[in-house]
Amino acid sequence: MSENVYIIGAGIHPFGRTDARSGREQGVYAVREAMADAGLEWSDIECAYGGSAAAGNADIMVNELGLTSLPFTNVANGCATGGSALASAQMAIASGMYDLALATGFDKHPRGSFNASPADYGLPEWYGQTGMMLTTQFFALKIQRYMQLHGISRTTLGRVAEKAFRNGAKTPHAWRRSEIDLDTIMNAPMINDPLTKFMFCSPAEGGVALILASEKKMKELGAHGVKIAKIAVKTRPPDSFEVFQAGVSVKEGGKPTVLASQAAFEGAGIGPQDIDVAQLQDTESGAEIMHMAENGFCADGDQEKWLAEGVTEIDGKLPVNTDGGCLACGEPIGASGLRQVYENVEQLRGRAGERQVPNDPKTAYSHVYGAPGLSAVAILER
Amino acid sequence: MAVLAPIDSKLWSDDAEPHLMGGRKPDGQIVFPMPQGDAAQDVEPYKLSRHGKLWSWTSQDFLPKTPYEGRGSGPEEGPPDFVPFLLGYVELPGEVIVETYIAHAKLDDLTLGMDMEFCIVPFNDTHTTFAYRPAGTGA
């Protein structure tokens, strides 16, 4: 029987652009915030897991944090780096081997869209040479078909972005902190039809750290933690449709998000109707819409009504992306998934300030998706 | 004007009416592109259908970063030289859904499931690439 695991400390370095700090320094900042939150010293931490996609190895952080000889494992899992670090830290404690663990992620990307090398993904050179290997295109192609099949309008895409900036304006760690009206969003330059400039997140910078503890350790410290009910990480099943696929199976396959979501709900012993607040991967507006259904919160097509009626607003029945998500915070790949968990920890502890959901949340859900087709879901309970 | 070379010499067949080249796995599954290296073992080259149905589409409205080699990517060029293009997925019934340029069409012309046909189009000053275009729009 594995042990219950709790998050007893959470820290964040504001997302966006911080020219004066490297990605790793932003990570160190977040770790210090998390330790202060938990009332711990670096020497108390027994093991650590962390990573970045473009800002170096996390284990170098010991130079700044202290040479305590703790085992520090680098995690490199693309967009799921944070989720995988969290899952590893949880397993370290659940196994009974450790009582206090750190999960951290940070990043710092150049401006503009991500560019990928075909060879790194086992793809032929022509795919990149002809300009077909862009993550933004995948999301546009996925939502374009989804809109045709399930009656989602362009206005609904705009409403997702409008909500993100409205929530970001209330969030100290967000990058985009000004509201943007629906007309401006809809009439902004097109990036990949049907998605305009304000419907996409941008690569960014930031750092997040979470401190995990066993139940015994939490009680010993007198800390009030948030319980990790279940974490599930799933890679893609056969015949799925993912980013960077020049060919897709004519058989309709499964989806990694659906698999991770089902496994997380099953492990937590609750269902989508029991969730009080959710952070869903929203690298662009269409992703939030599709992920609402893939994570089991609504049927395909219901999003049109949900967005129009404000169901996913902070004061709605199911608040989604309460800190503005990737759209308002930007996407530092290594930190992004942990930001969602940080936000849920703050919401469950009632410490989210202006953006606090008013329904006295007991359960929170986070979901991250990334190349080459993997999803991580974490359900927290208080 | 010099003759343009294919962007990849094995990407489509050299028939008078060329076919995009995929692969057939031992279990009969059709894949695109043809796998490379060890992954190509036991995969037979397979001529994909020249006709299919539009599965999804989008526009590329900004200059892609490297390794993009189309207009706007040259040493003396930049975003103003870039020419936006259309791309999408075309379902080749019973075979595979392929990602492709969409030629001879405007965004507003495109509808889910419309008939598409294979063609070769100029890509940059030196190369051609493949595309699918709405059926019946060929020269």
Side-chain angles (χ1 to χ4, degrees):
Chain A
M1 184 63 197
S2 65
E3 296 216 22
N4 284 331
V5 181
Y6 295 80
I7 298 173
I8 63 163
I12 195 163
H13 182 285
F15 279 33
R17 293 283 172 204
T18 308
D19 290 341
R21 284 198 183 102
S22 71
R24 194 182 67 252
E25 285 172 327
Q26 295 179 43
V28 168
Y29 178 104
V31 173
R32 289 186 172 135
E33 294 275 305
M35 289 191 299
D37 183 32
L40 295 170
E41 300 290 329
W42 176 242
S43 54
D44 297 322
I45 307 297
E46 299 167 16
C47 65
Y49 299 85
S52 80
N57 289 342
D59 60 346
I60 309 294
M61 294 169 108
V62 297
N63 288 346
E64 285 100 344
L65 290 166
L67 304 176
T68 60
S69 298
L70 89 170
F72 199 132
T73 304
N74 289 323
V75 180
N77 232 176
C79 300
T81 295
S84 295
L86 182 65
S88 303
Q90 186 221 12
M91 286 187 278
I93 292 173
S95 71
M97 283 191 69
Y98 298 99
D99 286 309
L100 274 176
L102 167 72
T104 184
F106 54 87
D107 242 312
K108 191 177 183 92
H109 303 286
R111 284 159 214 275
S113 63
F114 293 115
N115 60 327
S117 157
D120 287 353
Y121 288 86
L123 291 162
E125 291 302 319
W126 63 260
Y127 191 53
Q129 288 165 332
T130 55
M132 293 206 279
M133 192 175 177
L134 279 82
T135 53
T136 60
Q137 293 168 351
F138 164 73
F139 290 112
L141 289 161
K142 190 175 173 191
I143 190 63
Q144 186 91 267
R145 180 171 170 81
Y146 192 88
M147 289 165 76
Q148 304 290 325
L149 292 176
H150 302 295
I152 302 295
S153 67
R154 287 172 185 253
T155 304
T156 296
L157 297 178
R159 287 198 171 113
V160 169
E162 188 187 28
K163 169 175 71 70
F165 296 120
R166 190 158 52 235
N167 293 354
K170 297 175 178 156
T171 305
H173 67 252
W175 182 13
R176 314 289 189 197
R177 302 210 55 202
S178 308
E179 297 192 13
I180 301 177
D181 65 78
L182 189 59
D183 272 357
T184 305
I185 292 165
M186 302 294 291
N187 294 311
M190 194 62 80
I191 299 293
N192 299 107
D193 185 86
L195 299 167
T196 71
K197 178 180 144 181
F198 290 120
M199 297 178 189
F200 274 105
C201 80
S202 299
E205 306 171 15
V208 181
L210 301 170
I211 293 172
L212 281 61
S214 63
E215 189 160 339
K216 182 184 72 174
K217 191 69 172 183
M218 181 177 71
K219 285 181 175 158
E220 190 184 308
L221 292 168
H224 293 284
V226 167
K227 184 180 165 187
I228 298 176
K230 183 67 184 177
I231 296 176
V233 182
K234 295 285 181 182
T235 55
R236 66 189 192 279
D239 304 319
S240 69
F241 173 44
E242 312 293 345
V243 64
F244 299 154
Q245 263 186 310
V248 180
S249 172
V250 289
K251 286 183 277 187
E252 194 170 336
K255 297 181 172 74
T257 293
V258 172
L259 296 178
S261 177
Q262 287 172 347
F265 279 126
E266 196 181 315
I270 60 173
Q273 70 285 355
D274 300 316
I275 296 296
D276 295 326
V277 57
Q279 319 298 331
L280 306 178
Q281 178 88 337
D282 62 330
T283 39
E284 41 76 35
S285 290
E288 179 172 314
I289 289 169
M290 293 182 287
H291 290 150
M292 286 166 64
E294 289 184 18
N295 285 290
F297 293 109
C298 69
D300 290 321
D302 284 357
Q303 301 96 326
E304 187 73 10
K305 191 160 174 265
W306 280 38
L307 265 295
E309 293 178 355
V311 174
T312 55
E313 298 286 342
I314 283 173
D315 61 357
K317 186 164 153 277
L318 179 70
V320 172
N321 293 333
T322 45
D323 66 350
C326 292
L327 289 171
C329 293
E331 191 188 22
I333 289 180
S336 204
L338 289 178
R339 172 190 53 75
Q340 300 174 320
V341 179
Y342 169 88
E343 174 65 7
N344 279 339
V345 170
E346 294 299 276
Q347 291 286 352
L348 290 176
R349 296 198 294 190
R351 306 204 309 197
E354 264 191 275
R355 67 185 192 283
Q356 178 66 46
V357 304
N359 62 359
D360 188 27
K362 303 281 194 298
T363 55
Y365 185 100
S366 61
H367 155 261
V368 62
Y369 169 87
L374 74 159
S375 291
V377 168
I379 297 175
L380 307 183
E381 287 174 357
R382 137 174 101 81
Chain B
M1 191 171 140
V3 176
L4 304 181
I7 188 85
D8 182 311
S9 64
K10 292 179 180 159
L11 191 48
W12 58 86
S13 70
D14 56 7
D15 301 306
E17 288 210 319
H19 292 260
L20 191 61
M21 293 305 298
R24 190 195 341 231
K25 293 186 162 181
D27 66 359
Q29 191 193 357
I30 307 299
V31 294
F32 175 78
M34 176 69 188
Q36 301 166 302
D38 288 351
Q41 206 175 8
D42 302 326
V43 181
E44 290 288 326
Y46 178 89
K47 288 182 180 178
L48 294 166
S49 174
R50 290 173 49 85
H51 298 275
K53 307 267 186 198
L54 189 60
W55 192 81
S56 190
W57 64 93
T58 187
S59 57
Q60 177 60 35
D61 286 289
F62 65 95
L63 174 65
K65 290 182 180 177
T66 54
Y68 182 61
E69 294 180 0
R71 287 180 64 180
S73 66
E76 304 294 319
E77 298 179 321
D81 303 300
F82 173 68
V83 180
F85 57 86
L86 300 178
L87 70 156
Y89 281 98
V90 170
E91 179 166 6
L92 308 176
E95 296 181 346
V96 65
I97 300 163
V98 297
E99 191 172 0
T100 174
Y101 271 34
I102 295 173
H104 295 209
K106 298 188 299 294
L107 257 184
D108 291 347
D109 300 336
L110 303 176
T111 55
L112 194 67
M114 73 190 290
D115 289 323
M116 304 292 285
E117 63 187 17
F118 186 72
C119 61
I120 304 298
V121 294
F123 169 58
N124 58 16
D125 292 342
T126 50
H127 289 92
T128 53
T129 192
F130 70 94
Y132 278 79
R133 65 190 175 202
T137 60

